[in-house]
Amino acid sequence: MKGLFIRDYYTLKAYMKQCFLVTAGVVLVAVLFFISSRHGNIAKAIVSMEQEGETTAKEFYALIKVSVNMILLIPLAYMGTGITCFHADEEAHFSKVLYSLPVTDKEIVGSRYLSNLFFAVVSLVGAILAGICVCLTSDYFKVTEIMGNIITIFSLLLIYTSANLVLAYLVGYKIAGNIMVGILMGIWILCIPLVAQLSEEKMMKLVRELPSLMQEKCGIFLLVAIGVCVISYFVSLRIVEKKGGVA
Amino acid sequence: MEYALEVTGLSKKYKEFHLKDVNISLPSGCIMGFIGQNGAGKTTTIQLILDIIKGDSGKINIFGMDHHKDGVAIKEEIGVVFDEMGYHESFTPMQINHMMKHVYTHWKEEVFFDYLSRFALPKKQKCGSFSRGMRMKLQIAVALSHEAKLLIMDEPTSGLDPVVRNEILEIFQEFVVDEEHTIMMSSHMIGDLERIADMITFIDRGRILLSGNKDEIIEQHGMVRCKKEDFEKIHSDEFVSSRKSTVGVEALVSNRKQFKREHENLLIEPASLEEILIFYIQRNGKVGD
């Protein structure tokens, strides 16, 4: 298994560097944002809003929080890159080599899951580090608050990755990617009318409360994601055992 | 006799291709040339032996073990070379060494690096920049670096220049010199196999046409070149197949000595492997492309 994991690690090495660079960029943007909110133009805007009324300033804080939270989640976007190993294998015609090696189906599937999880953890660590940097430079956020949001999004992306891996083994990574994009678009299309019905007040309430909801429920989200990932591994293993070899 | 590889009644059916009842026995310490045209079934047979694809029926034993049940143990003993490299182009030989060190129990790093030096392969250069010859050499280096007892190779010399081919063939001969190592090598480059193989197996359209000791096959077969009227006196059972030539007719006979006894007036010459292959394919209903 270690050998196959190393194979995936070398395949993803370039993305790993990108992930580190993006994390560094995110930290920089977030820190600059807060410097501006203390001493720059944003600070001036906050002062004038506080003069206008408490509600306007509160809404502005909420927007800042959501924006920064979103920025901090950027490193997590790299979680999906583990799936590119399938593409790299196909391009190199590695499947023939793989099935001529003394490895079991468990090792083949296990190493692919391990490398995807490894990448997920690396991107999670990136997002957490960015979050800690933001907390150190700002009074607006608490570490627990930011961690809760990051873990919730991480869990949702882990569910996405697990589903994508099963589909990749079932129908190939290209079709799997299309199906996953289709599902996401479907959810998005279903959400549009629901969001459109919300009044501005309700919308702001949602924006304010969503981060705290994600923070409160992050443990449940994480447990569900781990469960889905474990089930996904066994389903993928079954698919590979049933298919047998590359054909 | 101890067999490194025994294939019995192997079949695999695709939409437009059917591998039928393949039987191969490869004694330990031999080099078997697996000859056939493109699309004859060589790669399918090799992939079935390696359990890369699943057969419909048949039995495959490697070193007396079932190729499916004992797959992992068998693959520790096999070195494989495919017609294309199969490693990611961004990988360097150093990275491949790192990977294989954790895949094969008996991986010998120093042997691998020795082969890299011998083949003049740069350790830290990406495989994507390697020529076809370098890529084949890299595969061979991997195949020979984990104490494999059996090498299974699919067209390892095709597309290589004569100097590299010669170098690779010499390595294969070195590999079997202690008679504990065995090679199965598919190719349509008959000259290469004529030079190094001990055993020959011909395959065409998914059927094994002929299999046996190379020298015996060459010894037994002969080419008869005669006028059309002389040829008409020969019974169809006495030759494998025939074709028109500038002097009249040429035919391949499968029992040269017996034929010579029965047709003393006809000139019969030894047949080359290429001629034997062509005439068998012709009999099988298809002239080689």
Side-chain angles (χ1 to χ4, degrees):
Chain A
M1 177 122 87
K2 199 175 167 188
L4 297 182
F5 173 74
I6 289 167
R7 179 264 324 244
D8 280 356
Y9 168 76
Y10 283 131
T11 308
L12 296 173
K13 214 174 148 189
Y15 291 104
M16 197 89 76
K17 280 179 194 161
Q18 275 183 31
C19 182
F20 286 134
L21 285 174
V22 166
T23 305
V26 162
V27 170
L28 190 70
V29 167
V31 169
L32 287 174
F33 191 80
F34 281 107
I35 290 171
S36 173
S37 70
R38 277 188 178 182
H39 312 289
N41 290 334
I42 298 175
K44 285 175 195 165
I46 290 171
V47 170
S48 71
M49 275 177 205
E50 277 171 348
Q51 284 165 356
E52 273 177 37
E54 208 180 316
T55 323
T56 324
K58 267 187 180 175
E59 281 173 4
F60 188 65
Y61 285 139
L63 277 173
I64 287 178
K65 276 194 171 187
V66 171
S67 313
V68 173
N69 266 311
M70 299 288 273
I71 292 170
L72 291 177
L73 296 173
I74 291 173
L76 291 182
Y78 276 84
M79 272 182 75
T81 42
I83 212 83
T84 52
C85 289
F86 285 97
H87 170 70
D89 282 358
E90 190 185 88
E91 220 171 39
H93 304 282
F94 184 72
S95 304
K96 278 195 293 187
V97 176
L98 177 66
Y99 285 94
S100 71
L101 299 175
V103 289
T104 59
D105 289 340
K106 255 185 203 168
E107 287 174 304
I108 292 170
V109 178
S111 65
R112 185 50 47 92
Y113 269 76
L114 200 65
S115 52
N116 272 271
L117 276 177
F118 176 73
F119 215 80
V121 170
V122 167
S123 52
L124 176 68
V125 169
I128 288 174
L129 283 177
I132 290 170
C133 289
V134 164
C135 291
L136 289 174
T137 51
S138 133
D139 304 326
Y140 295 121
F141 290 98
K142 288 175 192 158
V143 176
T144 48
E145 192 183 344
I146 283 186
M147 292 311 127
N149 295 338
I150 289 174
I151 287 169
T152 303
I153 298 297
F154 170 79
S155 307
L156 293 174
L157 287 173
L158 189 59
I159 293 170
Y160 174 88
T161 306
S162 304
N164 204 359
L165 280 167
V166 171
L167 284 172
Y169 279 113
L170 189 68
V171 292
Y173 77 95
K174 279 180 194 162
I175 299 173
N178 292 337
I179 292 173
M180 293 309 290
V181 169
I183 291 171
L184 289 181
M185 279 179 75
I187 294 170
W188 181 248
I189 288 165
L190 285 173
C191 284
I192 290 173
L194 293 174
V195 173
Q197 280 171 10
L198 293 176
S199 63
E200 199 181 329
E201 196 185 330
K202 279 186 180 172
M203 189 69 182
M204 281 315 295
K205 198 181 166 198
L206 184 72
V207 168
R208 269 197 302 269
E209 289 177 2
L210 193 65
S212 54
L213 182 80
M214 282 163 67
Q215 185 198 335
E216 281 165 23
K217 307 287 180 198
C218 70
I220 298 168
F221 278 119
L222 188 62
L223 280 177
V224 171
I226 291 169
V228 170
C229 186
V230 170
I231 294 167
S232 151
Y233 163 74
F234 285 108
V235 175
S236 296
L237 180 60
R238 187 78 197 98
I239 292 166
V240 170
E241 281 172 347
K242 212 174 168 190
K243 273 189 179 175
V246 293
Chain B
M1 190 182 283
E2 214 174 281
Y3 290 101
L5 171 70
E6 282 179 287
V7 178
T8 325
L10 186 64
S11 294
K12 172 81 181 170
K13 199 170 184 176
Y14 289 110
K15 252 184 188 174
E16 286 167 5
F17 177 75
H18 191 183
L19 192 77
K20 282 168 259 177
D21 195 28
V22 169
N23 295 291
I24 297 169
S25 295
L26 173 57
S28 295
C30 286
I31 299 180
M32 174 180 273
F34 194 40
I35 309 176
Q37 305 173 92
N38 293 329
K42 302 187 295 287
T43 300
T44 305
T45 307
I46 286 177
Q47 291 190 346
L48 285 164
I49 291 170
L50 293 171
D51 208 17
I52 292 173
I53 52 174
K54 303 288 167 206
D56 299 331
S57 61
K59 206 177 165 196
I60 299 167
N61 278 340
I62 299 173
F63 303 119
M65 295 182 276
D66 183 277
H67 86 304
H68 188 60
K69 226 166 65 185
D70 307 305
V72 174
I74 286 172
K75 283 168 187 173
E76 285 279 3
E77 311 274 331
I78 298 179
V80 183
V81 177
F82 293 104
D83 53 345
E84 49 195 6
M85 185 173 63
Y87 300 114
H88 301 65
E89 300 214 332
S90 61
F91 286 9
T92 63
M94 282 291 269
Q95 291 173 334
I96 291 170
N97 170 63
H98 190 199
M99 173 187 158
M100 292 305 179
K101 201 159 69 172
H102 297 285
V103 168
Y104 287 106
T105 316
H106 304 293
W107 180 258
K108 294 278 177 280
E109 203 170 42
E110 61 284 1
V111 175
F112 180 68
F113 289 134
D114 278 352
Y115 275 114
L116 290 186
S117 315
R118 188 174 168 180
F119 293 149
L121 293 174
K123 287 179 194 172
K124 290 177 183 173
Q125 198 173 312
K126 289 181 179 177
C127 313
S129 62
F130 285 5
S131 66
R132 180 166 168 79
M134 289 164 91
R135 287 170 184 223
M136 293 315 288
K137 284 174 177 176
L138 178 63
Q139 282 200 81
I140 292 165
V142 172
L144 295 174
S145 301
H146 59 93
E147 296 183 347
K149 286 183 187 158
L150 171 64
L151 276 192
I152 297 182
M153 298 182 284
D154 191 10
E155 306 274 3
T157 54
S158 71
L160 299 180
D161 65 70
V163 178
V164 177
R165 245 170 53 210
N166 187 53
E167 198 182 342
I168 287 174
L169 292 178
E170 276 175 10
I171 289 162
F172 296 159
Q173 282 174 317
E174 269 174 38
F175 180 73
V176 292
V177 87
D178 62 359
E179 296 192 352
E180 279 180 11
H181 296 97
T182 312
I183 293 179
M184 180 185 188
M185 173 180 163
S186 89
S187 182
H188 54 258
M189 320 247 334
I190 296 169
D192 291 349
L193 299 175
E194 204 152 20
R195 186 178 140 194
I196 66 162
D198 307 300
M199 310 270 300
I200 291 291
T201 296
F202 286 136
I203 186 167
D204 184 51
R205 296 204 295 173
R207 283 172 191 233
I208 300 290
L209 300 182
L210 190 65
S211 187
N213 183 289
K214 181 189 76 182
D215 295 334
E216 282 174 17
I217 287 174
I218 292 172
E219 180 68 27
Q220 282 163 5
H221 289 79
M223 286 299 297
V224 180
R225 290 181 178 91
C226 58
K227 287 178 184 166
K228 201 182 168 193
E229 47 274 28
D230 290 330
F231 180 71
E232 279 163 2
K233 291 173 195 161
I234 305 170
H235 192 270
S236 61
D237 289 349
E238 289 180 278
F239 60 90
V240 176
S241 66
S242 64
R243 68 180 177 197
K244 281 179 190 168
S245 74
T246 45
V247 290
V249 178
E250 51 184 13
L252 178 79
V253 297
S254 58
N255 194 333
R256 196 163 85 195
K257 282 179 186 165
Q258 193 185 334
F259 188 88
K260 200 163 175 60
R261 276 198 301 272
E262 287 167 13
H263 303 274
E264 283 175 345
N265 57 327
L266 293 179
L267 178 69
I268 182 161
E269 295 166 334
S272 67
L273 271 181
E274 193 166 345
E275 284 169 331
I276 297 170
L277 173 69
I278 289 168
F279 280 86
Y280 269 96
I281 288 172
Q282 193 174 300
R283 188 181 70 171
N284 199 34
K286 186 185 168 194
V287 180
D289 55 11

